[in-house]
Amino acid sequence: MTTPVNRLRPRRSCLAVPGSNPRFLEKAQGLPADQVFLDLEDAVAPLAKEGARQHIVDALNNGDWTGKTRVVRVNDWTTHWTYRDVIAVVEGAGPNLDCIMLPKVQDAQQVVALDLLLTQIEKTMGFEVGKIGIEAQIENAKGLVNIDDIAAASPRLETLIFGPADFMASINMKTLVVGQQPPGYGADAYHYILMRILMAARTHDLQAIDGPFLQIRDVDAYREVAGRAAALGFDGKWVLHPGQVDAANEVFSPAQEDYDHAELILDAYDWCTSEEGGKKGSAMLGDEMIDEASRKMALVIAGKGRAAGMQRTSKFEAPEA
């Protein structure tokens, strides 16, 4: 029987690292990103892709990735590199790999194909079957239209990721600045896309991750764009530069006050529904009435805070009888 795998890993900051650059691969190990994905796709020139596979295997096997989710982005299924990317990386470093990221996913069968290939490699190599997860990147209109089927395609699936640059090109969006609002449109041009991804993710208990912001030196603008996704409920965002890492970790973590309040709600609800607390379905926490719905909302905030390693600064005290 396969051991259950924790698919809900911290992913506030997802750092992209070119697999063809050993210096960047080494530097990434010391950055405080929740996730690092070693790239074989867009960040690597065609002539450098085969060599990059070995650089990535060496980095995964010999590097110190403590505390980080380790991911490799392979090339998409429309290229001739994909199957060799997966075989080389998983056979070479499978025990030190958490997920494979599949870009430009357009239908569920592309996820199924990757799942099957991973299973064959794991069985051949004697690795634990099903341990390596899949991250699916949605980068065009067809992928978004098929997103419900994609989200349900494999038990390995962990995240759905918005790929804004290719997506903007696929729908002929009138802008060259990735992630910023196109001129001439008064509302949020990305709201429907982000919400569609989020709904599919939550329906299937997956995480939702926002893609990159290419103006890497404008950290204030990065915070603004990241804040939009965080407000909707996304779990994290890509970072392309070390200067974006702290901003992502901050934006996708609860404020200390909110985290403390969420933990207090959970403690208060546990107490009021207990024998000692009178088995009540609702109670007062200060001037606030809390109930089961409050508990569910608090679980979300508390979960994010715990995943971020936050510590409580307040303690629940049961009211005196």
Side-chain angles (χ1 to χ4, degrees):
M1 184 174 178
T2 302
T3 303
V5 177
N6 176 23
R7 301 291 186 196
L8 298 177
R9 316 172 198 266
R11 285 184 169 92
R12 297 169 301 169
S13 50
C14 302
L15 177 65
V17 185
S20 56
N21 191 316
R23 183 171 66 86
F24 285 4
L25 290 170
E26 182 176 358
K27 182 177 181 180
Q29 297 169 41
L31 296 173
D34 286 346
Q35 171 174 303
V36 174
F37 74 88
L38 314 181
D39 197 15
L40 285 168
E41 200 214 11
D42 286 351
V44 179
L47 294 178
K49 288 185 187 291
E50 291 189 16
R53 294 170 184 156
Q54 190 57 49
H55 288 315
I56 286 174
V57 169
D58 291 342
L60 288 172
N61 288 337
N62 301 314
D64 182 1
W65 304 97
T66 303
K68 294 176 174 57
T69 297
R70 304 156 297 179
V71 180
V72 173
R73 181 168 71 162
V74 298
N75 289 277
D76 78 274
W77 277 122
T78 66
T79 74
H80 65 280
W81 293 297
T82 317
Y83 81 104
R84 287 302 310 165
D85 287 346
V86 178
I87 292 170
V89 168
V90 178
E91 286 191 353
N96 297 314
L97 177 67
D98 295 309
C99 297
I100 292 288
M101 184 187 301
L102 185 63
K104 299 176 177 63
V105 177
Q106 300 188 63
D107 58 54
Q109 291 308 306
Q110 293 181 329
V111 176
V112 172
L114 178 57
D115 186 328
L116 290 171
L117 181 54
L118 287 170
T119 298
Q120 290 188 347
I121 297 170
E122 288 167 338
K123 288 181 176 179
T124 298
M125 299 298 294
F127 299 154
E128 179 183 337
V129 175
K131 176 179 176 292
I132 297 173
I134 294 174
E135 300 188 354
Q137 199 172 0
I138 306 301
E139 301 188 70
N140 60 26
K142 185 175 181 180
L144 192 67
V145 168
N146 291 327
I147 195 166
D148 289 315
D149 290 337
I150 291 169
S154 167
R156 294 181 186 266
L157 206 59
E158 299 191 10
T159 68
L160 298 175
I161 304 165
F162 176 39
D166 283 279
F167 199 101
M168 291 158 67
S170 83
I171 62 173
N172 296 341
M173 188 176 282
K174 189 181 177 182
T175 180
L176 290 173
V177 182
V178 175
Q180 287 190 345
Q181 299 299 325
Y185 187 71
D188 184 351
Y190 304 100
H191 181 76
Y192 169 76
I193 303 167
L194 292 173
M195 286 300 292
R196 191 69 189 86
I197 291 172
L198 185 63
M199 292 304 102
R202 295 298 183 251
T203 298
H204 297 279
D205 296 323
L206 308 177
Q207 292 183 320
I209 303 298
D210 195 14
F213 183 72
L214 273 60
Q215 309 299 312
I216 60 174
R217 301 195 185 281
D218 192 344
V219 179
D220 289 339
Y222 177 88
R223 286 179 182 276
E224 181 180 347
V225 174
R228 174 191 66 193
L232 292 176
F234 271 61
D235 299 287
K237 184 173 177 62
W238 279 15
V239 293
L240 302 183
H241 186 272
Q244 296 177 332
V245 175
D246 288 342
N249 287 343
E250 179 183 330
V251 170
F252 288 95
S253 296
Q256 183 67 48
E257 181 181 359
D258 292 337
Y259 172 63
D260 285 338
H261 187 55
E263 293 285 16
L264 286 173
I265 289 174
L266 295 177
D267 288 347
Y269 185 79
D270 285 346
W271 182 83
C272 79
T273 56
S274 69
E275 189 79 35
E276 181 186 4
K279 298 183 288 187
K280 300 186 293 289
S282 62
M284 296 301 293
L285 179 62
D287 295 330
E288 175 187 15
M289 190 190 80
I290 60 170
D291 57 13
E292 171 64 12
S294 308
R295 185 190 71 87
K296 290 176 180 176
M297 295 170 66
L299 277 173
V300 173
I301 303 302
K304 288 180 181 291
R306 293 168 189 173
M310 297 179 71
Q311 300 296 318
R312 297 179 62 168
T313 61
S314 61
K315 181 180 179 181
F316 173 73
E317 296 183 3
E320 296 181 2

